[in-house]
Amino acid sequence: IYREIRQSLVDMEALFRLLQQPSRITEVPNAKPLRITDGSIRFENVSMSYDGGQRMVLKDVSFDIGPRSKVAFVGPSGSGKST
């Protein structure tokens, strides 16, 4: 139990550091609201890493999510689900 709690504290510290990073995405002034009537989501060759590329959490992930679909990401801790 001690190790799990200790690891959780380490993970929380990393999370708080991540949340303090400034966003590189800004909203355009006077942007119109996004209206979605129907559609799908496609990810093509998505990659994500932390620590300047030292910790790869996603590498060339591709998938499609159709309209009105429900998707769940499962996997062990640290496998990139939250990313």
Side-chain angles (χ1 to χ4, degrees), residues 16-83:
F16 289 134
R17 275 197 316 267
L18 180 61
L19 290 173
Q20 291 173 352
Q21 295 295 315
S23 176
R24 294 184 297 211
I25 301 171
T26 56
E27 194 164 316
V28 176
N30 303 316
K32 295 180 181 178
L34 179 63
R35 292 200 174 106
I36 301 173
T37 57
D38 206 8
S40 62
I41 298 172
R42 171 175 281 170
F43 283 76
E44 291 185 43
N45 304 319
V46 176
S47 297
M48 174 69 183
S49 65
Y50 294 105
D51 301 328
Q54 297 297 313
R55 184 171 162 230
M56 181 68 70
V57 291
L58 295 176
K59 185 175 180 182
D60 295 328
V61 175
S62 299
F63 57 90
D64 294 316
I65 303 173
R68 290 179 285 285
S69 296
K70 293 181 182 178
V71 175
F73 295 98
V74 296
S77 180
S79 63
K81 298 181 302 292
S82 298
T83 301

